[in-house]
PDB file of all heavy atoms in Angstrom:
ATOM      1  N   SER G1361     -14.504  14.467  15.559  1.00 37.00           N
ATOM      2  CA  SER G1361     -13.200  15.086  15.263  1.00 37.00           C
ATOM      3  C   SER G1361     -13.353  15.771  13.938  1.00 37.00           C
ATOM      4  O   SER G1361     -14.131  15.424  13.105  1.00 37.00           O
ATOM      5  CB  SER G1361     -12.142  13.992  15.144  1.00 37.00           C
ATOM      6  OG  SER G1361     -12.508  13.039  14.230  1.00 37.00           O
ATOM      7  N   GLU G1362     -12.542  16.805  13.760  1.00 35.00           N
ATOM      8  CA  GLU G1362     -12.593  17.486  12.492  1.00 35.00           C
ATOM      9  C   GLU G1362     -11.882  16.697  11.362  1.00 35.00           C
ATOM     10  O   GLU G1362     -10.948  15.958  11.567  1.00 35.00           O
ATOM     11  CB  GLU G1362     -11.824  18.839  12.694  1.00 35.00           C
ATOM     12  CG  GLU G1362     -12.536  19.786  13.581  1.00 35.00           C
ATOM     13  CD  GLU G1362     -11.858  21.117  13.759  1.00 35.00           C
ATOM     14  OE1 GLU G1362     -10.656  21.089  14.158  1.00 35.00           O
ATOM     15  OE2 GLU G1362     -12.366  22.107  13.296  1.00 35.00           O
ATOM     16  N   ASP G1363     -12.346  16.977  10.184  1.00 34.00           N
ATOM     17  CA  ASP G1363     -11.734  16.322   9.031  1.00 34.00           C
ATOM     18  C   ASP G1363     -11.025  17.408   8.224  1.00 34.00           C
ATOM     19  O   ASP G1363     -11.506  17.952   7.231  1.00 34.00           O
ATOM     20  CB  ASP G1363     -12.819  15.620   8.113  1.00 34.00           C
ATOM     21  CG  ASP G1363     -12.180  14.795   6.985  1.00 34.00           C
ATOM     22  OD1 ASP G1363     -11.030  14.591   7.079  1.00 34.00           O
ATOM     23  OD2 ASP G1363     -13.005  14.550   6.136  1.00 34.00           O
ATOM     24  N   GLU G1364      -9.893  17.798   8.736  1.00 34.00           N
ATOM     25  CA  GLU G1364      -9.133  18.911   8.124  1.00 34.00           C
ATOM     26  C   GLU G1364      -7.758  18.321   7.631  1.00 34.00           C
ATOM     27  O   GLU G1364      -7.312  17.198   8.022  1.00 34.00           O
ATOM     28  CB  GLU G1364      -8.780  19.936   9.106  1.00 34.00           C
ATOM     29  CG  GLU G1364      -7.978  19.532  10.383  1.00 34.00           C
ATOM     30  CD  GLU G1364      -7.850  20.682  11.374  1.00 34.00           C
ATOM     31  OE1 GLU G1364      -8.814  21.426  11.584  1.00 34.00           O
ATOM     32  OE2 GLU G1364      -6.831  20.677  11.968  1.00 34.00           O
ATOM     33  N   PRO G1365      -7.088  18.991   6.696  1.00 30.00           N
ATOM     34  CA  PRO G1365      -5.846  18.523   6.126  1.00 30.00           C
ATOM     35  C   PRO G1365      -4.803  18.322   7.285  1.00 30.00           C
ATOM     36  O   PRO G1365      -4.831  19.042   8.265  1.00 30.00           O
ATOM     37  CB  PRO G1365      -5.402  19.520   5.172  1.00 30.00           C
ATOM     38  CG  PRO G1365      -6.664  20.312   4.897  1.00 30.00           C
ATOM     39  CD  PRO G1365      -7.580  20.247   6.102  1.00 30.00           C
ATOM     40  N   PRO G1366      -3.964  17.287   7.164  1.00 31.00           N
ATOM     41  CA  PRO G1366      -2.990  17.071   8.238  1.00 31.00           C
ATOM     42  C   PRO G1366      -1.926  18.242   8.314  1.00 31.00           C
ATOM     43  O   PRO G1366      -1.650  18.874   7.263  1.00 31.00           O
ATOM     44  CB  PRO G1366      -2.247  15.789   7.750  1.00 31.00           C
ATOM     45  CG  PRO G1366      -2.480  15.756   6.267  1.00 31.00           C
ATOM     46  CD  PRO G1366      -3.856  16.361   5.997  1.00 31.00           C
ATOM     47  N   ASP G1367      -1.431  18.420   9.433  1.00 32.00           N
ATOM     48  CA  ASP G1367      -0.393  19.443   9.781  1.00 32.00           C
ATOM     49  C   ASP G1367       0.916  18.812   9.470  1.00 32.00           C
ATOM     50  O   ASP G1367       1.521  18.139  10.273  1.00 32.00           O
ATOM     51  CB  ASP G1367      -0.541  19.921  11.173  1.00 32.00           C
ATOM     52  CG  ASP G1367       0.557  20.955  11.553  1.00 32.00           C
ATOM     53  OD1 ASP G1367       1.147  21.495  10.657  1.00 32.00           O
ATOM     54  OD2 ASP G1367       0.654  21.186  12.717  1.00 32.00           O
ATOM     55  N   ASP G1368       1.434  19.018   8.251  1.00 29.00           N
ATOM     56  CA  ASP G1368       2.707  18.382   7.897  1.00 29.00           C
ATOM     57  C   ASP G1368       3.848  19.247   8.394  1.00 29.00           C
ATOM     58  O   ASP G1368       5.017  18.823   8.456  1.00 29.00           O
ATOM     59  CB  ASP G1368       2.852  18.092   6.378  1.00 29.00           C
ATOM     60  CG  ASP G1368       2.833  19.385   5.556  1.00 29.00           C
ATOM     61  OD1 ASP G1368       2.542  20.432   6.110  1.00 29.00           O
ATOM     62  OD2 ASP G1368       3.156  19.299   4.443  1.00 29.00           O
ATOM     63  N   GLY G1369       3.630  20.470   8.786  1.00 29.00           N
ATOM     64  CA  GLY G1369       4.622  21.353   9.356  1.00 29.00           C
ATOM     65  C   GLY G1369       5.850  21.707   8.377  1.00 29.00           C
ATOM     66  O   GLY G1369       6.795  22.221   8.860  1.00 29.00           O
ATOM     67  N   GLY G1370       5.673  21.326   7.182  1.00 29.00           N
ATOM     68  CA  GLY G1370       6.845  21.666   6.192  1.00 29.00           C
ATOM     69  C   GLY G1370       7.950  20.680   6.370  1.00 29.00           C
ATOM     70  O   GLY G1370       7.825  19.559   6.689  1.00 29.00           O
ATOM     71  N   GLY G1371       9.105  21.169   6.146  1.00 28.00           N
ATOM     72  CA  GLY G1371      10.396  20.382   6.154  1.00 28.00           C
ATOM     73  C   GLY G1371      11.202  20.797   4.928  1.00 28.00           C
ATOM     74  O   GLY G1371      10.606  21.002   3.983  1.00 28.00           O
ATOM     75  N   ASP G1372      12.536  20.700   5.086  1.00 27.00           N
ATOM     76  CA  ASP G1372      13.249  21.341   4.014  1.00 27.00           C
ATOM     77  C   ASP G1372      14.084  20.273   3.260  1.00 27.00           C
ATOM     78  O   ASP G1372      14.837  20.560   2.397  1.00 27.00           O
ATOM     79  CB  ASP G1372      14.328  22.312   4.574  1.00 27.00           C
ATOM     80  CG  ASP G1372      15.205  21.704   5.675  1.00 27.00           C
ATOM     81  OD1 ASP G1372      15.111  20.570   5.955  1.00 27.00           O
ATOM     82  OD2 ASP G1372      15.954  22.537   6.246  1.00 27.00           O
ATOM     83  N   ASP G1373      13.922  19.018   3.641  1.00 28.00           N
ATOM     84  CA  ASP G1373      14.733  18.016   2.929  1.00 28.00           C
ATOM     85  C   ASP G1373      13.943  16.850   2.357  1.00 28.00           C
ATOM     86  O   ASP G1373      14.466  15.808   1.905  1.00 28.00           O
ATOM     87  CB  ASP G1373      15.868  17.349   3.824  1.00 28.00           C
ATOM     88  CG  ASP G1373      15.281  16.648   5.000  1.00 28.00           C
ATOM     89  OD1 ASP G1373      14.061  16.735   5.148  1.00 28.00           O
ATOM     90  OD2 ASP G1373      16.133  16.074   5.788  1.00 28.00           O
ATOM     91  N   GLY G1374      12.576  17.035   2.296  1.00 28.00           N
ATOM     92  CA  GLY G1374      11.788  16.060   1.651  1.00 28.00           C
ATOM     93  C   GLY G1374      11.896  14.716   2.415  1.00 28.00           C
ATOM     94  O   GLY G1374      12.144  14.655   3.578  1.00 28.00           O
ATOM     95  N   GLY G1375      11.353  13.654   1.836  1.00 31.00           N
ATOM     96  CA  GLY G1375      11.411  12.370   2.555  1.00 31.00           C
ATOM     97  C   GLY G1375      10.881  11.349   1.616  1.00 31.00           C
ATOM     98  O   GLY G1375      10.370  11.613   0.505  1.00 31.00           O
ATOM     99  N   GLY G1376      10.931  10.155   2.038  1.00 33.00           N
ATOM    100  CA  GLY G1376      10.416   8.985   1.266  1.00 33.00           C
ATOM    101  C   GLY G1376       9.951   7.895   2.189  1.00 33.00           C
ATOM    102  O   GLY G1376       9.921   8.016   3.444  1.00 33.00           O
ATOM    103  N   GLY G1377       9.489   6.848   1.627  1.00 34.00           N
ATOM    104  CA  GLY G1377       8.897   5.803   2.431  1.00 34.00           C
ATOM    105  C   GLY G1377       9.497   4.437   2.134  1.00 34.00           C
ATOM    106  O   GLY G1377      10.616   4.287   1.838  1.00 34.00           O
ATOM    107  N   ASP G1378       8.549   3.481   2.168  1.00 40.00           N
ATOM    108  CA  ASP G1378       9.051   2.080   1.837  1.00 40.00           C
ATOM    109  C   ASP G1378       8.364   1.706   0.503  1.00 40.00           C
ATOM    110  O   ASP G1378       8.015   2.557  -0.312  1.00 40.00           O
ATOM    111  CB  ASP G1378       8.680   1.123   3.028  1.00 40.00           C
ATOM    112  CG  ASP G1378       7.160   0.885   3.135  1.00 40.00           C
ATOM    113  OD1 ASP G1378       6.408   1.535   2.340  1.00 40.00           O
ATOM    114  OD2 ASP G1378       6.812   0.076   4.007  1.00 40.00           O
ATOM    115  N   ASP G1379       8.328   0.381   0.311  1.00 38.00           N
ATOM    116  CA  ASP G1379       7.864  -0.083  -1.009  1.00 38.00           C
ATOM    117  C   ASP G1379       6.372  -0.394  -1.036  1.00 38.00           C
ATOM    118  O   ASP G1379       5.906  -1.056  -1.951  1.00 38.00           O
ATOM    119  CB  ASP G1379       8.594  -1.337  -1.454  1.00 38.00           C
ATOM    120  CG  ASP G1379       8.569  -2.437  -0.452  1.00 38.00           C
ATOM    121  OD1 ASP G1379       7.834  -2.249   0.613  1.00 38.00           O
ATOM    122  OD2 ASP G1379       9.193  -3.488  -0.757  1.00 38.00           O
ATOM    123  N   GLY G1380       5.561   0.015  -0.094  1.00 39.00           N
ATOM    124  CA  GLY G1380       4.201  -0.246  -0.021  1.00 39.00           C
ATOM    125  C   GLY G1380       3.449   0.613   0.980  1.00 39.00           C
ATOM    126  O   GLY G1380       4.053   1.481   1.600  1.00 39.00           O
ATOM    127  N   THR G1381       2.180   0.290   1.138  1.00 40.00           N
ATOM    128  CA  THR G1381       1.461   1.123   2.095  1.00 40.00           C
ATOM    129  C   THR G1381       1.663   0.577   3.484  1.00 40.00           C
ATOM    130  O   THR G1381       1.991  -0.652   3.730  1.00 40.00           O
ATOM    131  CB  THR G1381      -0.050   1.027   1.763  1.00 40.00           C
ATOM    132  OG1 THR G1381      -0.498  -0.375   1.854  1.00 40.00           O
ATOM    133  CG2 THR G1381      -0.357   1.588   0.443  1.00 40.00           C
ATOM    134  N   GLY G1382       1.496   1.478   4.395  1.00 45.00           N
ATOM    135  CA  GLY G1382       1.776   1.039   5.907  1.00 45.00           C
ATOM    136  C   GLY G1382       0.629   0.230   6.377  1.00 45.00           C
ATOM    137  O   GLY G1382      -0.619   0.624   6.172  1.00 45.00           O
ATOM    138  N   GLY G1383       0.952  -0.773   7.128  1.00 44.00           N
ATOM    139  CA  GLY G1383      -0.067  -1.613   7.740  1.00 44.00           C
ATOM    140  C   GLY G1383      -0.588  -1.056   9.062  1.00 44.00           C
ATOM    141  O   GLY G1383      -0.091  -0.033   9.509  1.00 44.00           O
ATOM    142  N   GLY G1384      -1.463  -1.753   9.688  1.00 43.00           N
ATOM    143  CA  GLY G1384      -1.966  -1.298  10.994  1.00 43.00           C
ATOM    144  C   GLY G1384      -1.223  -1.864  12.205  1.00 43.00           C
ATOM    145  O   GLY G1384      -0.264  -2.574  11.954  1.00 43.00           O
ATOM    146  N   ASP G1385      -1.673  -1.595  13.383  1.00 47.00           N
ATOM    147  CA  ASP G1385      -1.044  -2.078  14.572  1.00 47.00           C
ATOM    148  C   ASP G1385      -1.976  -2.785  15.506  1.00 47.00           C
ATOM    149  O   ASP G1385      -2.071  -3.965  15.401  1.00 47.00           O
ATOM    150  CB  ASP G1385      -0.293  -0.857  15.220  1.00 47.00           C
ATOM    151  CG  ASP G1385       0.634  -1.424  16.350  1.00 47.00           C
ATOM    152  OD1 ASP G1385       1.023  -2.560  16.317  1.00 47.00           O
ATOM    153  OD2 ASP G1385       0.787  -0.591  17.254  1.00 47.00           O
ATOM    154  N   GLU G1386      -2.626  -2.039  16.251  1.00 46.00           N
ATOM    155  CA  GLU G1386      -3.304  -2.736  17.516  1.00 46.00           C
ATOM    156  C   GLU G1386      -4.804  -2.592  17.495  1.00 46.00           C
ATOM    157  O   GLU G1386      -5.385  -2.366  18.486  1.00 46.00           O
ATOM    158  CB  GLU G1386      -2.720  -2.095  18.793  1.00 46.00           C
ATOM    159  CG  GLU G1386      -1.288  -1.906  18.791  1.00 46.00           C
ATOM    160  CD  GLU G1386      -0.501  -3.232  18.778  1.00 46.00           C
ATOM    161  OE1 GLU G1386      -1.151  -4.295  19.044  1.00 46.00           O
ATOM    162  OE2 GLU G1386       0.666  -3.192  18.380  1.00 46.00           O
ATOM    163  N   ALA G1387      -5.458  -2.873  16.316  1.00 41.00           N
ATOM    164  CA  ALA G1387      -6.917  -2.615  16.282  1.00 41.00           C
ATOM    165  C   ALA G1387      -7.657  -3.406  17.416  1.00 41.00           C
ATOM    166  O   ALA G1387      -8.414  -2.848  18.177  1.00 41.00           O
ATOM    167  CB  ALA G1387      -7.446  -3.103  14.965  1.00 41.00           C
ATOM    168  N   GLU G1388      -7.430  -4.689  17.550  1.00 39.00           N
ATOM    169  CA  GLU G1388      -8.214  -5.433  18.516  1.00 39.00           C
ATOM    170  C   GLU G1388      -7.670  -5.216  19.899  1.00 39.00           C
ATOM    171  O   GLU G1388      -8.368  -5.601  20.848  1.00 39.00           O
ATOM    172  CB  GLU G1388      -8.125  -6.889  18.188  1.00 39.00           C
ATOM    173  CG  GLU G1388      -6.786  -7.544  18.203  1.00 39.00           C
ATOM    174  CD  GLU G1388      -6.772  -8.955  17.959  1.00 39.00           C
ATOM    175  OE1 GLU G1388      -6.995  -9.766  18.805  1.00 39.00           O
ATOM    176  OE2 GLU G1388      -6.578  -9.371  16.718  1.00 39.00           O
ATOM    177  N   ASP G1389      -6.513  -4.580  20.125  1.00 41.00           N
ATOM    178  CA  ASP G1389      -5.978  -4.382  21.467  1.00 41.00           C
ATOM    179  C   ASP G1389      -6.287  -2.929  21.951  1.00 41.00           C
ATOM    180  O   ASP G1389      -6.163  -2.716  23.146  1.00 41.00           O
ATOM    181  CB  ASP G1389      -4.515  -4.454  21.379  1.00 41.00           C
ATOM    182  CG  ASP G1389      -4.038  -5.879  20.922  1.00 41.00           C
ATOM    183  OD1 ASP G1389      -4.713  -6.841  21.328  1.00 41.00           O
ATOM    184  OD2 ASP G1389      -3.095  -5.889  20.119  1.00 41.00           O
TER     185      ASP G1389
END
């Protein structure tokens, strides 16, 4: 796969997240 910058597609109202980094989900599944 290519290692290119993500396509964030812009957006006009910004955004935010939570109070930490996001964890994973289903690695072993």
Side-chain angles (χ1 to χ4, degrees):
S1361 58
E1362 294 183 297
D1363 185 17
E1364 62 185 37
D1367 175 14
D1368 65 347
D1372 58 5
D1373 60 356
D1378 65 2
D1379 58 359
T1381 59
D1385 187 26
E1386 313 298 338
E1388 65 180 270
D1389 302 319

